[in-house]
Amino acid sequence: MSIYVNVIDYGAAGNGTTDDTNAVQSAIEYCYSRGGGTVYFPSGKYLIAKIKGTVAIPASDDGSVMEGYGLPMEPEPVYSLPYCIRMRPRVKLVGESVGSVTLLSDYIYGRADLNQKIMFTFLEEENFSLVYHGMENITINKSFIAYAALNNVFTLCQFNSVHFQRTAIGIYAKILERCTFDELVASNTGSLLVVGGQWRSRNDAINEQGGFADKCYINKITFTFYNTMGNNEKNIDTFFDTYFFKTENNTTRLSAPIGTVSVAKNLKYRGICGTAINILPRYWRPSNNNDFNNIFFGVSPRYVIYGGQLKVSNFSNINIESCGYQDSANRVNPIGGGWDDPYLGANERIPAFIMGVSDKSSIDEVQAQKVYAKQVLPSNLNYYGLDAPSSNNNLLVKQPAQRSQGLELVEARVTDANLLTNVKSNYNFVGETMTRSINPVNGFCTTTFQLPTGNSYLVRVTAKANGTTANSLLQLCIINVYRGEQGFNILNVVKLGEPFYAAGGPITPTDLTVSDPDISGNVTLIAKSKSMVYFEIYASTI
């Protein structure tokens, strides 16, 4: 039977200055001893900074190797990290309401060594399945690793309405199985979720102990990095490689490939900071049947999702804004264009903002604006962009046609690629019609029309000098007036091909300007003309 305990009843002060480590631990232990349940935190700030023990980092090999594939070596040393509170299976930490409870420690962002603390960790034996635990309505501030299972499997855990601030890693698990992460927020944090990435064996063969995630639901994630990429991130990235991933072991300790090719070298370590979700299968074990939905990823230099072998998974409504720069908040020094990411090499742009998508996965919507990368999606995905065939309807990424394979400073909203292809060959669509007769002022005819916010529109603009078709120009475009959460707005015009015009007429393709909409949906048309221009504006929602 599930029970309910209040941390105040076990001595917690919740004032932000009194250390509440012992009180919270006592509440967890009592709840666990009675079969599990809820540990409740009333509104307040709870200081959790006292070290209670250490937990081993299990990312090391014992020196052995499969016969015929190399010689034995000395075992690697096993290192440890200090922790504050031992977490237990079947126990969930629940705050009074969203934003009312903060668990505070004393971590200084950018420090990364074996003296930095894990706030909550599990100590169960290797591969123990940790069931029915998690957090709800909790903010964690200033922790090196907030919540971790270095040597265990998270199974059926639930994290709801959890916010991480000034933290190196929000949640770490070696393996995830059937877990739910819903309404999680990370700000000024290295990475929200890291899975696997552990060197465990010298044998170059698929090994689940290196990490994977199966059948997880990841929804309503907001990751805003804001930090300028520099030494703080370098320290955290280097720490994880040194004590977990161990790239150097690929050349110093790895056996000859046991299969036809190496699997331990497939996943390239590219750091973890600035990436919302890292799923790192060190020995290339696929991650299957995961759902990634409603993710906002902003002002970050790296990846929304980075991993390998994300198979039979769904990616839906991914919003990317102001990313791919060393200082993404100000869009200064693009990666590979003005600042080199140490893991990519000199002058190399980010390959894609979503990395690791594999067989039978679907991508329903990706929205990107003000980003700098080679592309938004991996290049090994077949068919995306304006010319996607009808047999591949699960890929609906709309990009300007000339940039469909390489995005730079993208301003595009996702729309149905097949719809747009059809529109290009059928201009007689039905929608709202607006007409204006405008006399020139200083050689320009200017008018403004308004589109309701919250939609994308297919718009046909015709400008007729002297009101006659023989002197006309026609431009097709998509106009996005999309206002989303967290200040994510897409207000732009994407032209569909070159304009049609009457050759030799007074209006040429360069004489018509269609402005980006403002935040209220107002679009300005400017036609260069010495005579009256009759504008016809057809607009229909997509």
Side-chain angles (χ1 to χ4, degrees), residues 2 19 25 38 50 124 146 184 254 266 281 296 369 390 409 413 422 428 505 528:
S2 178
D19 195 299
Q25 184 71 74
T38 297
K50 186 179 297 183
E124 277 69 17
L184 271 58
L254 187 65
N266 278 341
F296 174 76
Q369 68 165 345
S390 59
L409 305 183
R413 169 123 193 254
N422 294 336
N428 296 317
K528 184 179 179 181

Side-chain angles (χ1 to χ4, degrees), residues 363-407:
I363 299 177
D364 294 329
E365 291 187 9
V366 177
Q367 302 171 7
Q369 68 165 345
K370 300 178 182 177
V371 301
Y372 189 90
K374 289 184 178 179
Q375 53 212 359
V376 167
L377 300 176
S379 58
N380 63 349
L381 282 175
N382 295 323
Y383 309 121
Y384 66 95
L386 276 175
D387 300 321
S390 59
S391 61
N392 201 28
N393 291 327
N394 61 336
L395 298 180
L396 305 180
V397 179
K398 160 66 182 70
Q399 301 160 5
Q402 70 274 20
R403 291 179 175 177
S404 64
Q405 297 298 319
L407 300 188

Side-chain angles (χ1 to χ4, degrees), residues 12 108 130 167 219 252 267 320 340 382 407 411 437 473 540:
I108 297 175
L130 307 168
T167 293
N219 181 52
T252 61
L267 184 69
I320 309 167
D340 295 329
N382 295 323
L407 300 188
E411 307 264 358
S437 296
L473 180 148
S540 63

